[in-house]
Amino acid sequence: MNPTQPERPAGRQPARAAAAAFVGTTIEWYDFYIYATASALIFGKLFFPSNEPFISTLASFGTFAVGFFARPFGGLVFGHLGDRFGRKKALVATLAIMGVSTVCIGFLPTYASAGALAPVMLVLLRIAQGIAIGGEWGGAVLMASEHAPRERRTFLASFAQLGSPAGLILSLVAFRAVAGMDKDALFDWGWRLPFLASAVLLIVGVLIRMGVRESPEFEQVRAERRTAALPVAEVVRDAWRTVLLCLGANVIGVAGAWFVNAFMLNYTTQTLGIDRALMLDCLFAVAFLQLATQFASGWFAQRLGVERFLKAAAALAMLSPYPMFVLVSSGRPIAIVAGIGFAVMCMSSSYAVMAGFMANAFPVRVRYSAISLSYQLCAALAGGLTPLVGTVLAHRYPGQWWPLAAFYSVLALITLVCIAWLARKRAGVAQSSTGVLVEP
């Protein structure tokens, strides 16, 4: 399956589409990240009380993982709708589902007042969040990339990825604002405020997305009546190898983000005894570094070569956890920011560029379904399980960080191998007409 080359868009729609992708994914990731932060700091005690903190934390991260397992379903449903009926309609729907689910979490009763019903409702709303974010990512990437001229596609597609650090910044601002509250007030009602604030963001996001036109590439396919009847079936039949390689290529960008922002927050506060407010401040500083790194990565990769850039980023990510753990273990704020910041720069460089890289791997008629399936399966496996695996390793090897660092390096190695293999595979497709290389 060969990618369809885009037409050159006219007017200001490319910039508007990129901006809308950024704002929309920022709101979606804000909702997702506040759940991650609450899982690390709040939900274990309120929804899964236990005499053993390890059990409470594991249960809390279990509900966190549930959202990731729901993401492939969201990707399939909204990928189908986006490939059949349009990217824009699917994106407005995912934003609405995410916003309503997040606000409802803010109104949930806790285990103390509702018993087992409380964690059940939390899990159901978490599943709704997972479905929404599962459908969101692919559409946001495509609205940005399919509106873009060919020479700017990688850069403008990266704007959808900028929503992740921007959403993280907003979520950390929200939780930092309530983290200084009295502990009783925080666990009683203060934790609810970041979730309830999502109602305002929901209104803003829907209004912005309604102002962007449908993807011109999709409109062309629809006008020519070339839309796929069952896009997912077509992807599985014709491009399953490419889907698996794209899944692997995303591993460090997905798993690394949750390793740093969910597991490390819990590890540093519970295992190393670092103050919760201090860690939130450090992660806040790192989030700005991630935002700047991702913006620069899209620009540099477009000029230096996407595949070469991705390989270098993955190789550096393999080395990054060792200085990270050494510096974080010191407990000094500057060292914590430097250690986590280096790891995040390597990881986020890959994450920023991967969107455009994947979009070019599939044709327009099935592109939403294909990239959603690749990315969301990776999210379910690598993203959802990473905090759980990290928690188990920290419990199994108390006081030792090297198993955690080795685990992170293996994640980066998977990405490096898959990028190299996918690059070779794509080169084979490009040269198959000459008989030099043929796709297996």
Side-chain angles (χ1 to χ4, degrees):
M1 297 172 65
N2 295 321
T4 300
Q5 296 299 333
E7 299 288 333
R8 177 179 289 273
R12 301 170 62 184
Q13 278 297 303
R16 288 182 180 179
F22 167 65
V23 173
T25 53
T26 296
I27 295 169
E28 293 262 4
W29 282 112
Y30 165 81
D31 291 347
F32 218 67
Y33 274 124
I34 58 174
Y35 192 101
T37 306
S39 294
L41 301 177
I42 304 292
F43 287 164
K45 296 179 181 179
L46 292 184
F47 290 90
F48 308 96
S50 170
N51 293 328
E52 176 54 61
F54 168 68
I55 300 299
S56 294
T57 299
L58 206 60
S60 181
F61 278 145
T63 66
F64 174 72
V66 165
F68 282 92
F69 298 145
R71 285 173 65 168
F73 179 73
L76 290 175
V77 170
F78 288 101
H80 176 85
L81 295 175
D83 282 328
R84 288 282 292 155
F85 306 108
R87 283 61 160 128
K88 180 176 176 177
K89 293 177 182 178
L91 283 176
V92 172
T94 60
L95 190 60
I97 293 171
M98 175 64 87
V100 171
S101 301
T102 303
V103 172
C104 287
I105 290 174
F107 286 111
L108 279 182
T110 63
Y111 189 91
S113 58
L117 182 62
V120 170
M121 290 189 292
L122 181 65
V123 169
L124 291 176
L125 290 172
R126 179 60 175 168
I127 290 173
Q129 277 194 326
I131 291 173
I133 201 72
E136 158 73 18
W137 182 85
V141 167
L142 295 186
M143 284 294 279
S145 66
E146 290 179 353
H147 273 283
R150 186 178 305 136
E151 68 275 9
R152 300 179 65 199
R153 170 164 286 193
T154 296
F155 176 60
L156 291 181
S158 72
F159 274 63
Q161 305 293 70
L162 291 174
S164 179
L168 175 60
I169 290 170
L170 287 181
S171 71
L172 290 173
V173 167
F175 261 97
R176 187 64 184 89
V178 300
M181 297 174 61
D182 175 80
K183 185 176 181 180
D184 291 337
L186 173 63
F187 280 83
D188 183 25
W189 58 269
W191 68 271
R192 300 178 185 274
L193 298 180
F195 290 90
L196 298 178
S198 184
V200 177
L201 299 177
L202 170 62
I203 295 172
V204 173
V206 170
L207 291 175
I208 291 175
R209 282 205 164 151
M210 291 298 291
V212 179
R213 298 174 191 167
E214 180 57 83
S215 155
E217 290 192 8
F218 174 78
E219 290 283 32
Q220 181 180 350
V221 168
R222 181 161 57 183
E224 296 171 356
R225 297 185 178 181
R226 292 190 291 111
T227 56
L230 292 172
V232 173
E234 190 171 318
V235 169
V236 173
R237 183 190 67 213
D238 297 337
W240 62 270
R241 294 181 181 87
T242 305
V243 167
L244 291 178
L245 289 174
C246 287
L247 185 160
N250 274 287
V251 165
I252 192 59
V254 173
W258 299 110
F259 187 95
V260 170
N261 295 310
F263 168 72
M264 285 296 288
L265 180 57
N266 178 266
Y267 174 78
T268 53
T269 56
Q270 291 199 11
T271 302
L272 300 183
I274 298 175
D275 180 69
R276 179 177 62 234
L278 171 62
M279 276 307 302
L280 287 173
D281 286 343
C282 290
L283 290 177
F284 183 63
V286 170
F288 281 99
L289 182 62
Q290 180 180 350
L291 185 65
T293 299
Q294 289 191 199
F295 184 83
S297 295
W299 189 87
F300 277 114
Q302 190 80 69
R303 286 152 180 78
L304 301 179
V306 173
E307 292 166 359
R308 182 184 304 174
F309 184 91
L310 286 171
K311 290 176 185 177
L316 286 173
M318 290 179 61
L319 304 176
S320 66
Y322 303 96
M324 176 177 70
F325 277 101
V326 170
L327 291 169
V328 167
S329 298
S330 71
R332 298 192 302 272
I334 295 178
I336 293 173
V337 171
I340 296 180
F342 175 60
V344 164
M345 288 179 67
C346 300
M347 169 271 296
S348 62
S349 295
S350 173
Y351 179 75
V353 179
M354 191 59 63
F357 184 65
M358 288 176 61
N360 285 331
F362 303 98
V364 177
R365 57 186 270 116
V366 296
R367 188 176 285 163
Y368 200 145
S369 297
I371 68 171
S372 294
L373 186 62
S374 302
Y375 183 81
Q376 303 307 340
L377 284 175
C378 177
L381 296 173
L385 295 177
T386 292
L388 286 172
V389 173
T391 300
V392 171
L393 288 174
H395 184 74
R396 176 66 177 82
Y397 300 97
Q400 301 181 60
W401 56 259
W402 66 265
L404 297 168
F407 170 57
Y408 192 97
S409 292
V410 169
L411 296 174
L413 177 61
I414 293 172
T415 289
L416 178 60
V417 170
C418 288
I419 289 171
W421 196 351
L422 185 59
R424 181 179 177 183
K425 187 173 185 289
R426 291 175 65 183
V429 173
Q431 299 181 51
S432 61
S433 61
T434 66
V436 179
L437 288 173
V438 179
E439 182 183 15

